[in-house]
Amino acid sequence: MSSPAERYAAARRRAAQASLFPALDEFAFDLGFDLDDFQREACQALERGSGVLVCAPTGAGKTVVGEFAVHLALRGTPARPVSAGEPRRKCFYTTPIKALSNQKYHDLVDRYGADQVGLLTGDNAINGDAPVVVMTTEVLRNMLYAGSSTLEGLAYVVMDEVHYLADRFRGGVWEEVIIHLPASVTLVSLSATVSNAEEFADWLVTVRGETAVVVSEHRPVPLWQHMLVGRRMFDLFHDADAARKHDVHPELLRYTRDTLRRLELGEVRGTGADRRRGPRWRGPLRPDIVERLDREGLLPAILFIFSRAGCHAAVEQCLAAGLRLTSPEERAEIRRVVESRVTAIPSEDLSVLGYWEWLDGLERGLAAHHAGMLPAFKEVVEELFVRGLVKAVFATETLALGINMPARCVVLERLVKYNGEAHVDLTPGEYTQLTGRAGRRGIDVEGHAVVVWSPETDPRHVAGLASTRTYPLRSSFRPSYNMAVNLVGSVGAEPARALLESSFAQFQADRSVVGLARQVQRNTETMDAYGAEAVCHQGDFDEYFALRVAIGDRERSLARQGQTQRKAAAIASLERLRVGDVIRVPSGRRAGLAVVIDPATGGFGEPRPLVLTQDRWAGRITAADFTAPAEVLARIRVPKHFNHRSPAARRDLAAEVGGTGLDRHGGRRGGRSRQAAGEDHRLTQLRSELRSHPCHACPEREEHARWAERRRRLERDTEELRQRVSGRTGSLARTFDRIVALLTARGYLTTDGSVTDAGRMLSRIWTEADLLVAECLRRGVWDGLSPAELAAAVSVVVFEARRDVDERASVPRGAVVDAVDATLKLWSEIETDEASRGLSVTREPDLGFAWPIYRWARGEALAKVLASGHQLDGEMPAGDFVRWARQVVDLLGQLADSGGASSDLRATARQAIAAVNRGVLAYHAPA
């Protein structure tokens, strides 16, 4: 208890602050809770007229600062109150995703009323002229480039989750907005905790003026870290002091070491079903984990499983184990909520979507949550979890980036996730973001994070993840074609160049040059020392070593020439194949005899004939499968309408291949024929010079060569560093110059820096493949297509498969094939142009979504549509289908409004949108 004197002094301080910051005092009075120190500091900076950057952990209450900016826009400040005659001041509240925008819109409507608050996302446009508008960041970027009248009176912009500017796909949008906002706008940046907040703030000061930095590492709800080893739960740290020092709890270390030792001796079998990793270790079953959390009062919980299939399997396992976490009253409320939210989805589609199994899980308090789920289902899970009706959610990491869904406990099943290319360890930043969901402010006294132990999980590694605070914000900004024409059109070429040089990406690059230059200096000194060690008393060892290097380079060049010639011969031989040709695949998993069932010589790219092997495998082969030209050994008859998906048809044809009597492997050659070294005149000459050099007879020759090789490697590394130094100094401006040159050559800009009609069309295309879309419009590639054909044709420039597949997807026959081939040809031209100018190449069109969107636009059933996806692992998930279909609709909407498209194409695009927006696509989150 404080003394009366202390309470009096505190009251005096509060009164003084209220007189200095009356708007904050008025705002805080309506909140119903006391502001934390960091919230008060940030709000005071705002009321003083400064911009502000707030970095604080998940759940700390950063958004209060953003809401204060809304309050200032509506109420004004004592220095500048809003008078009746002047135009309304506005505040835009931007978020990275639509779900967050919807949630923040509802929060602000509850506080200020529907007439004062608007919403602008790709799906919804509500009261867009209101003084407070919630929107996605891309919407604000598009407004800035278009010079929208909605920007009049804009006083504050809140950028929630501003650390998204590190996102490699969308991060550049945040920097575009920060750079292009008028100087009169006060910027409020809200970020997760990052270790280079000061660096980011230094950049904000250079582009936005005065910016206060408020950093808080304090979690309002303490987080306790645990490890679950078999059936035993351990604290990761003994106390807070041990956590700061990364000292793992001694009992946990002892127990895991004993468990590992017993595993090696074969004494431990574990308690679950996962035997893939570790010697005979089986971790705890998922139902057992949920039951354990329930017993210990740690529900609701989010259990992160970095696999969509794993999330659904976990729910099924809990249902099979008879787990039930809800009361009869809760089950009735869950069913009421679900039924009210799925009324727009046709009943025949619900069974395809696994509705009844999903509802059964929900009624028992269990659910999965991942990007592959239908958005409507995902939103229901989020609502029920926030209300405490769903108790355990099995989720992928995408939930950590979504809306506010705090839990009492978070469980991490593994510390490795698939990033789209490979399985990689979680970073400290990712670990903090995932575990940051634990602990609900105002509900829980403390939050809990549990890592499930397995033999490859070292508790000390987990301690490092839990304690590390070094996750810096890295810019992902790079100029695009759309950005270039918009900048040149709005400010001119030279000012546009200067704007790009003011980006955070260039700011970081320029700072990093200092460290690189120091490393170059250190390397130069080391190379001098290596050179001294390589000095030979018999002659010039540098000259001798250069001969050795030249010989090695020549040998490698000859080997590459041989490979190139062999590949060219293999491609030519595959192009000559016909249906019924029996060939021998010389190596790899498909080695042996095979019959050609579709030569696939037409179209774009290298030949990829479809073959059936003697082992009944049907698939496409490439030149990479051949070390020598494919030789036709025999011919057999292939039925005219042969179906390679039919097991019986494959069996019969494979038997015919075997009946040819040909040897499966043939007379294997001992190895690849290599050009004899002596046959090359230059190589012979170099070796002769080497042998006659004085240093060749030196007894310490190889020792000198080792030092010379070290110096050569260091020279190569140092040259790379020098190139990085020169490349980073003004790197974005150089990239911009190359983009402008390409756009000028293609007619989007004039030589004097003006934007042409084609450039104005490009400036309104917002997609990753913006230039390719513009070229398709200019060349009329999509003219004359039906609505379904147009949807299929444009899908190839927006879709990107989650994983690479060897076999290229097919597309609907007829006009779609011609349109796709023309699109691929244009892409090839653009790629060649980009590569010749040293630009990042536009991503190759992906045909994998053409069939699903074509069938959907023709009105076919959802089951048939999902089954037609070009997936490695079965049907296309409904959530993926909806997400990509909406992107197709977005691009079709741009075509419908494009001045560069023909009137017929614009009309067809509108018809295609109407055809796609049905059933599960007609559903929008309620706003």
Side-chain angles (χ1 to χ4, degrees), residues 534 536 538-551 686-698 700-706 708 711:
C536 177
Q538 299 214 15
D540 185 347
F541 199 83
D542 286 347
E543 186 180 77
Y544 175 76
F545 188 71
L547 286 169
R548 290 177 66 145
V549 171
I551 289 169
L686 286 170
R687 285 180 170 161
S688 174
E689 290 176 26
L690 184 80
R691 284 192 292 271
S692 61
H693 197 282
C695 291
H696 194 66
C698 177
E700 296 179 344
R701 181 186 69 198
E702 293 309 311
E703 181 66 19
H704 295 327
R706 276 192 285 274
R711 184 177 65 175

Coordinates of all heavy atoms in Angstrom, one line a residue, residues 534 536 538-551 686-698 700-706 708 711:
A534 N 53.5 -18.0 -50.2 CA 53.6 -18.7 -51.5 C 54.8 -18.4 -52.4 O 55.0 -18.9 -53.5 CB 52.3 -18.5 -52.3
C536 N 58.3 -18.6 -54.0 CA 59.1 -19.7 -54.3 C 60.5 -19.2 -54.8 O 60.6 -18.3 -55.7 CB 58.5 -20.6 -55.4 SG 59.5 -22.0 -56.0
Q538 N 62.6 -20.7 -56.7 CA 63.0 -21.2 -58.0 C 62.4 -20.4 -59.1 O 62.8 -20.5 -60.3 CB 62.6 -22.6 -58.1 CG 63.2 -23.5 -57.1 CD 63.5 -24.9 -57.6 OE1 63.5 -25.1 -58.8 NE2 63.9 -25.8 -56.8
G539 N 61.4 -19.5 -58.9 CA 60.8 -18.8 -59.9 C 59.5 -18.1 -59.5 O 59.2 -18.0 -58.3
D540 N 58.7 -17.5 -60.5 CA 57.5 -16.8 -60.2 C 56.4 -17.8 -60.0 O 55.8 -18.4 -60.9 CB 57.2 -15.9 -61.4 CG 56.0 -15.0 -61.1 OD1 55.2 -15.3 -60.2 OD2 55.8 -14.1 -61.9
F541 N 56.0 -18.0 -58.7 CA 55.0 -19.0 -58.4 C 53.6 -18.5 -58.8 O 52.7 -19.4 -59.1 CB 55.0 -19.4 -56.9 CG 54.4 -20.7 -56.6 CD1 55.0 -21.9 -56.8 CD2 53.0 -20.8 -56.3 CE1 54.4 -23.1 -56.6 CE2 52.4 -22.0 -56.1 CZ 53.1 -23.2 -56.2
D542 N 53.4 -17.2 -58.8 CA 52.1 -16.7 -59.3 C 51.8 -17.1 -60.7 O 50.7 -17.5 -61.1 CB 52.0 -15.2 -59.2 CG 51.9 -14.7 -57.7 OD1 51.6 -15.6 -56.9 OD2 52.1 -13.5 -57.5
E543 N 52.9 -17.1 -61.5 CA 52.8 -17.4 -62.9 C 52.5 -18.9 -63.1 O 51.7 -19.4 -63.8 CB 54.1 -17.1 -63.6 CG 54.1 -17.3 -65.1 CD 55.4 -16.9 -65.8 OE1 56.4 -17.7 -65.6 OE2 55.5 -15.8 -66.3
Y544 N 53.3 -19.7 -62.2 CA 53.1 -21.2 -62.3 C 51.7 -21.6 -61.8 O 51.0 -22.4 -62.4 CB 54.1 -21.8 -61.3 CG 54.0 -23.3 -61.2 CD1 54.4 -24.2 -62.2 CD2 53.4 -23.9 -60.1 CE1 54.2 -25.6 -62.1 CE2 53.3 -25.3 -59.9 CZ 53.7 -26.1 -61.0 OH 53.5 -27.5 -60.8
F545 N 51.2 -20.9 -60.7 CA 49.9 -21.3 -60.2 C 48.8 -20.9 -61.2 O 47.8 -21.6 -61.3 CB 49.6 -20.6 -58.9 CG 48.4 -21.0 -58.2 CD1 48.3 -22.3 -57.6 CD2 47.3 -20.2 -58.1 CE1 47.1 -22.7 -57.0 CE2 46.1 -20.6 -57.5 CZ 46.0 -21.9 -56.9
A546 N 49.0 -19.8 -62.0 CA 48.0 -19.4 -63.0 C 47.9 -20.4 -64.1 O 46.8 -20.7 -64.6 CB 48.5 -18.1 -63.6
L547 N 49.0 -21.1 -64.4 CA 48.9 -22.2 -65.4 C 48.1 -23.4 -64.8 O 47.3 -24.0 -65.5 CB 50.3 -22.7 -65.7 CG 51.2 -21.8 -66.6 CD1 52.6 -22.3 -66.6 CD2 50.6 -21.8 -68.0
R548 N 48.3 -23.7 -63.5 CA 47.4 -24.8 -62.9 C 46.0 -24.4 -62.9 O 45.1 -25.3 -63.2 CB 47.9 -25.0 -61.5 CG 49.3 -25.7 -61.4 CD 49.8 -25.8 -59.9 NE 49.0 -26.8 -59.1 CZ 49.5 -27.6 -58.2 NH1 50.8 -27.6 -58.0 NH2 48.7 -28.4 -57.5
V549 N 45.7 -23.2 -62.6 CA 44.3 -22.8 -62.6 C 43.7 -22.8 -64.1 O 42.6 -23.3 -64.3 CB 44.1 -21.3 -62.1 CG1 42.7 -20.8 -62.3 CG2 44.5 -21.3 -60.6
A550 N 44.5 -22.4 -65.1 CA 44.0 -22.4 -66.5 C 43.8 -23.8 -66.9 O 42.8 -24.1 -67.7 CB 45.1 -21.8 -67.3
I551 N 44.6 -24.8 -66.5 CA 44.4 -26.2 -66.9 C 43.1 -26.7 -66.3 O 42.2 -27.4 -67.0 CB 45.6 -27.1 -66.4 CG1 46.8 -26.8 -67.2 CG2 45.2 -28.6 -66.5 CD1 48.1 -27.4 -66.7
L686 N 49.1 -26.1 -72.5 CA 49.1 -25.6 -71.1 C 49.9 -26.6 -70.2 O 50.7 -26.2 -69.4 CB 47.7 -25.4 -70.5 CG 46.9 -24.2 -71.0 CD1 45.5 -24.3 -70.6 CD2 47.6 -22.9 -70.5
R687 N 49.7 -27.9 -70.4 CA 50.4 -28.9 -69.6 C 51.9 -28.9 -69.9 O 52.7 -29.1 -69.0 CB 49.8 -30.3 -69.8 CG 48.4 -30.4 -69.1 CD 47.8 -31.7 -69.3 NE 46.7 -31.9 -68.4 CZ 45.7 -32.8 -68.6 NH1 45.7 -33.6 -69.7 NH2 44.7 -32.9 -67.8
S688 N 52.2 -28.7 -71.2 CA 53.6 -28.6 -71.5 C 54.3 -27.4 -70.9 O 55.4 -27.5 -70.3 CB 53.8 -28.5 -73.1 OG 55.1 -28.3 -73.4
E689 N 53.6 -26.2 -70.9 CA 54.2 -25.1 -70.2 C 54.3 -25.3 -68.7 O 55.3 -24.8 -68.1 CB 53.3 -23.9 -70.5 CG 53.3 -23.4 -71.9 CD 52.3 -22.2 -72.1 OE1 52.0 -21.5 -71.1 OE2 51.8 -22.0 -73.2
L690 N 53.4 -26.0 -68.1 CA 53.5 -26.3 -66.7 C 54.7 -27.1 -66.3 O 55.4 -26.8 -65.4 CB 52.2 -27.0 -66.2 CG 52.1 -27.3 -64.7 CD1 51.6 -26.0 -64.0 CD2 51.1 -28.4 -64.5
R691 N 54.9 -28.2 -67.1 CA 56.0 -29.1 -66.8 C 57.4 -28.4 -67.0 O 58.4 -28.7 -66.3 CB 55.9 -30.3 -67.7 CG 54.9 -31.3 -67.2 CD 55.0 -32.6 -67.9 NE 54.7 -32.5 -69.4 CZ 53.5 -32.7 -69.9 NH1 52.4 -32.9 -69.1 NH2 53.3 -32.5 -71.2
S692 N 57.4 -27.4 -67.9 CA 58.7 -26.8 -68.2 C 59.0 -25.6 -67.3 O 60.0 -24.9 -67.4 CB 58.8 -26.3 -69.7 OG 57.7 -25.4 -69.9
H693 N 58.0 -25.2 -66.5 CA 58.2 -24.0 -65.6 C 59.2 -24.3 -64.5 O 59.1 -25.5 -63.9 CB 56.8 -23.6 -65.0 CG 56.8 -22.2 -64.4 ND1 57.3 -21.9 -63.2 CD2 56.3 -21.1 -64.9 CE1 57.2 -20.7 -62.9 NE2 56.6 -20.1 -64.0
P694 N 60.0 -23.4 -64.1 CA 61.0 -23.7 -63.0 C 60.4 -24.1 -61.7 O 61.0 -25.0 -61.0 CB 61.7 -22.3 -62.8 CG 61.5 -21.6 -64.1 CD 60.2 -22.0 -64.7
C695 N 59.3 -23.6 -61.3 CA 58.6 -23.9 -60.0 C 58.1 -25.4 -60.0 O 57.8 -25.9 -58.9 CB 57.5 -23.0 -59.7 SG 58.0 -21.3 -59.4
H696 N 58.0 -26.0 -61.2 CA 57.5 -27.4 -61.2 C 58.4 -28.3 -60.5 O 58.0 -29.4 -60.0 CB 57.3 -27.8 -62.7 CG 56.5 -29.1 -62.8 ND1 55.2 -29.1 -62.5 CD2 56.8 -30.3 -63.2 CE1 54.7 -30.3 -62.7 NE2 55.7 -31.1 -63.1
A697 N 59.7 -28.0 -60.4 CA 60.7 -28.9 -59.8 C 61.0 -28.5 -58.3 O 61.8 -29.2 -57.7 CB 62.1 -28.8 -60.6
C698 N 60.3 -27.5 -57.8 CA 60.5 -27.1 -56.4 C 60.0 -28.2 -55.5 O 58.9 -28.7 -55.6 CB 59.7 -25.8 -56.1 SG 59.9 -25.3 -54.4
E700 N 59.0 -27.9 -52.5 CA 57.9 -27.4 -51.6 C 56.8 -26.9 -52.5 O 56.0 -26.0 -52.0 CB 58.5 -26.2 -50.7 CG 59.5 -26.7 -49.7 CD 60.0 -25.6 -48.9 OE1 59.8 -24.4 -49.2 OE2 60.7 -25.9 -47.8
R701 N 56.8 -27.4 -53.7 CA 55.8 -26.9 -54.7 C 54.3 -27.0 -54.1 O 53.5 -26.0 -54.2 CB 55.9 -27.7 -56.0 CG 54.9 -27.3 -57.1 CD 55.0 -28.3 -58.2 NE 54.5 -29.6 -57.9 CZ 54.8 -30.8 -58.5 NH1 55.6 -30.7 -59.6 NH2 54.3 -31.9 -58.1
E702 N 53.9 -28.1 -53.6 CA 52.5 -28.3 -53.1 C 52.2 -27.5 -51.9 O 51.1 -27.0 -51.8 CB 52.3 -29.8 -52.8 CG 52.3 -30.7 -54.1 CD 51.4 -30.2 -55.2 OE1 50.3 -29.8 -54.9 OE2 51.9 -30.0 -56.3
E703 N 53.2 -27.2 -51.1 CA 53.0 -26.3 -49.9 C 52.7 -24.9 -50.4 O 51.8 -24.2 -50.0 CB 54.2 -26.4 -49.0 CG 54.1 -25.5 -47.8 CD 53.0 -26.0 -46.8 OE1 52.6 -27.1 -46.9 OE2 52.5 -25.1 -46.0
H704 N 53.5 -24.4 -51.4 CA 53.3 -23.1 -52.0 C 51.9 -23.1 -52.7 O 51.2 -22.1 -52.6 CB 54.4 -22.8 -53.1 CG 55.8 -22.7 -52.5 ND1 56.0 -22.2 -51.3 CD2 57.0 -23.0 -53.1 CE1 57.3 -22.2 -51.1 NE2 57.9 -22.7 -52.2
A705 N 51.5 -24.2 -53.3 CA 50.3 -24.2 -54.0 C 49.1 -24.1 -53.1 O 48.1 -23.5 -53.4 CB 50.2 -25.5 -54.8
R706 N 49.2 -24.7 -51.9 CA 48.1 -24.6 -50.9 C 47.9 -23.1 -50.5 O 46.8 -22.7 -50.3 CB 48.4 -25.5 -49.7 CG 48.0 -26.9 -49.9 CD 48.1 -27.7 -48.6 NE 49.5 -28.0 -48.2 CZ 50.2 -29.1 -48.6 NH1 49.6 -29.9 -49.4 NH2 51.4 -29.3 -48.2
A708 N 48.8 -20.5 -52.2 CA 48.3 -19.8 -53.4 C 46.8 -20.0 -53.6 O 46.0 -19.1 -54.0 CB 49.1 -20.2 -54.6
R711 N 44.9 -18.0 -51.1 CA 44.8 -16.6 -51.5 C 43.8 -16.4 -52.7 O 43.0 -15.4 -52.7 CB 46.2 -16.1 -52.0 CG 46.2 -14.6 -52.3 CD 47.6 -14.1 -52.7 NE 48.1 -14.8 -53.9 CZ 49.2 -14.4 -54.5 NH1 50.0 -13.5 -54.0 NH2 49.6 -15.0 -55.6

